[in-house]
Amino acid sequence: MHVYTEGKEALVLGQQLKMRKGFTPRVAIMAVATILFTSACARQAVSTETRLPGATAVPTVGGTPTSIGGNTGRAAVESFMAAVKAQDLQAMSGLWGNGKGLARDQYKRDELEKRLVIMQCLLQHDQFRFAENGPRLQTGGRQEHLIEIKKAKLEARTTVMTVPGPGGKWLVEDIDVSKLRDFCQ
């Protein structure tokens, strides 16, 4: 009903534009289309909810309920993998992002949830460990961590890229999941 009203107002406006000198039917149609398009875009509802269904409170990585990310790249990986094992999508969303910030602030909610569920499935493990003592330094301040994951009889090595996010907290930016396809069955 709400969209119908906006369309009706746009049609009335289009008729008013046609009556003015210099407005051809084509110009009036373009004006109405522009108005409808911009009003539809401007009124698009985007959820600002940061809790995911069935999740616990905001991640407690730094010890406080409002903290996000890890103090180091390694801590971000450890916390992320612990959240994966606990199947805590909310905690995962507080650790996954890029230099601009958390992924949950950059993706629509349904897209974020899909990606988190896929990562959770691919990274589900009985145990994990770092395969190297320190990270491999990459461009832009990123750190690449080599990890080993074990789940039942499956074992795999993969890399997890971390990046310093806003406020100096480290976030998990990318995970090479190509070697983990068998883990999600």
Side-chain angles (χ1 to χ4, degrees), residues 43-174:
R43 296 174 189 260
Q44 182 180 15
V46 177
S47 174
T48 57
E49 180 69 36
T50 57
R51 286 204 61 198
L52 298 175
T56 57
V58 179
T60 58
V61 175
T64 62
T66 58
S67 63
I68 59 165
N71 291 329
T72 64
R74 186 179 180 104
V77 173
E78 289 171 341
S79 296
F80 191 82
M81 294 302 287
V84 165
K85 190 168 186 173
Q87 299 181 359
D88 188 345
L89 298 181
Q90 177 67 21
M92 288 171 63
S93 75
L95 294 157
W96 179 44
N98 57 29
K100 295 177 185 175
L102 293 174
R104 68 181 178 199
D105 297 332
Q106 300 174 45
Y107 287 108
K108 289 183 180 178
R109 184 176 178 177
D110 61 333
E111 181 70 18
L112 174 72
E113 288 175 7
K114 288 176 190 175
R115 290 174 183 246
L116 287 171
V117 167
I118 290 168
M119 282 192 288
Q120 193 277 324
C121 184
L122 291 168
L123 291 167
Q124 193 55 248
H125 60 280
D126 295 326
Q127 57 182 247
F128 100 97
R129 71 176 196 87
F130 289 92
E132 299 175 342
N133 289 334
R136 301 171 186 168
L137 302 180
Q138 305 293 318
T139 60
R142 290 172 173 79
Q143 296 178 351
E144 183 181 64
H145 302 268
L146 182 62
I147 62 170
E148 292 179 352
I149 300 173
K150 292 182 181 182
K151 178 181 176 186
K153 295 179 181 179
L154 298 172
E155 290 185 32
R157 275 187 168 203
T158 193
T159 57
V160 179
M161 188 73 69
T162 58
V163 63
K169 292 292 187 171
W170 286 84
L171 302 173
V172 171
E173 181 180 48
D174 188 40

Side-chain angles (χ1 to χ4, degrees), residues 1-11 36:
M1 184 76 171
H2 188 67
V3 173
Y4 174 76
T5 304
E6 289 175 7
K8 193 172 183 180
E9 290 169 0
L11 288 175
L36 286 173

